[in-house]
Amino acid sequence: MEKQRIKSAAKSFGRLLAALKSAAIFALLSGFGAEAFCQTVITQTQCDALRIAPSENQKFYTKSDIKFEVLIPNTNANSIQLQSSKTLPGVTMRTMRKTQDYGDTPGTKLEFWFTFEKKGDYQMQPVSLLISNRRRTISFDPITVTDNPEFLMPRIVLVFPDDTYFHSDQPFDAEKPFLNAKVGEKIPFTVCLQYAVLLVQFDWELPTDSIFTCTKNYEILEIKYREKHISDELIPVADFEWTSLAEGQQRFPKIRLTATAYNGSRNSIQLPDFFVDFKNKESEAAVNTEKKSRYDKSFEFYDNLQNSLAENDGDEDSKNHFENHVSEDNCELLAALRKKERNDLFNWKKNVKERAEFEAEHGITTSINEFFIGSYYFSVFGLVLCVILFVIFIVKHKALLSILTSGLIVFALVFFIFGSIQKSKIFAISKGAKITSIPEENAKVESKIGAGLRVQVIEEAGSWIYIQMGESGGWCKKTDVIYIN
């Protein structure tokens, strides 16, 4: 019994020693921890080196909480008290928090949340603090706040290669051209959408007297991401190229979008009317000099060409059809002019004149006019009208009128058949097509049709086409011509 009491007392004494040892270790560690924040009182000079800066990875939008923070080194959180924080008009401090930081630089982290009512540049008033019963002030970094996309309506933004931007809601001088360009010069630009979650519809109007091409469409994805993450980033929709064929001020192509805003509303947006001033490529010095008319140049070119052919009668190259040096861009412009001449229902004479002047200016001697597609539609209308009248006269027993109307039907039918045949023909502009007798890569080039000349496409075989000009014809690559139809 005595031995058991001795053993029990020994165990109790051991537990007491272990407890004392643990308490000593804890006190020692607490001492080191206190020593880590123990310092001479932080000076105002040291506070002047600190800045209350906005936290990273956040957007500075109006009507949203923007977080600022600063780390005061070697201080204990309990030793810091906020004395005052004067705010500017339209700025509200939502809350403030201080936490002990045990990172690489131990100290106290102060965090502030502010809300700004209006966009602009802000320089906040310094914060007044008591640090270990000493008054100190710490300044803020300046901040630029922008409008919150959550409360803005979607808008169209045009982006040009020289980093020029046009916003659909921006104020501008409608009388002053937005851009200056040359006739025939390509103007590339990107249509973007801003302050939107989803693109619902996208369309545009084709401008007159110009070439307007959509070169790329973008996929607008990540709808759920944009719903959760409000952003003012530009969302690309499509790339375009615009080339004017006429001189003077031209209205920029009408572009319309329907998009869903961050608040869920559906909005229709379109570009306002603004203009681009197009000028001819001729220099002012050339304009002031005496020049021959474009038609005179055309005949002079033809006469010189005939003389050259007569002097080089035995030369194989001289047998090519009107060899010239018309550029590929001019061939594209000519194809566009002929397409307009063919399909424009209201300005046929004007279009013929413009195309003829263009050909004369660039030494293209062909004078074949395009088939006016309006005459085909007129023949269809005339044929239908004659048939209706014929039926009416038959029903009313008007024999003489029925006979006259039947004659008109025959005439209209002939005109309709002729128009259908002409409408079905396919024409193109040669870019300097190399003609071969068979559609093969290794075939010998028999001749060459000069750039800018109009040819008829008779047959297609893969990447090859059979073209004809006058009585001669042959095979060439599709890429050697520009289709008119």
Side-chain angles (χ1 to χ4, degrees), residues 282-349:
E282 298 175 349
S283 63
E284 294 182 1
V287 172
N288 294 330
T289 60
E290 286 191 18
K291 300 184 296 181
K292 298 181 180 179
S293 71
R294 292 173 177 172
Y295 290 104
D296 290 338
K297 283 186 177 181
S298 175
F299 289 119
E300 179 181 336
F301 173 83
Y302 183 81
D303 292 338
N304 293 336
L305 180 61
Q306 295 299 321
N307 294 333
S308 175
L309 290 173
E311 292 173 1
N312 301 281
D313 194 21
D315 190 354
E316 182 179 351
D317 290 338
S318 66
K319 297 179 182 178
N320 293 338
H321 294 279
F322 301 107
E323 188 74 40
N324 52 35
H325 301 285
V326 181
S327 68
E328 184 172 336
D329 287 343
N330 285 333
C331 290
E332 291 181 354
L333 292 175
L334 178 57
L337 287 172
R338 282 192 168 273
K339 184 176 182 179
K340 185 170 68 169
E341 176 185 342
R342 181 182 178 90
N343 298 296
D344 191 348
L345 299 179
F346 304 103
N347 300 295
W348 185 72
K349 288 186 177 180

Side-chain angles (χ1 to χ4, degrees), residues 150-169:
E150 185 178 2
F151 305 102
L152 297 176
M153 293 297 100
R155 66 178 180 178
I156 301 172
V157 181
L158 303 182
V159 182
F160 296 88
D162 60 351
D163 290 334
T164 300
Y165 292 81
F166 183 86
H167 303 85
S168 59
D169 59 351

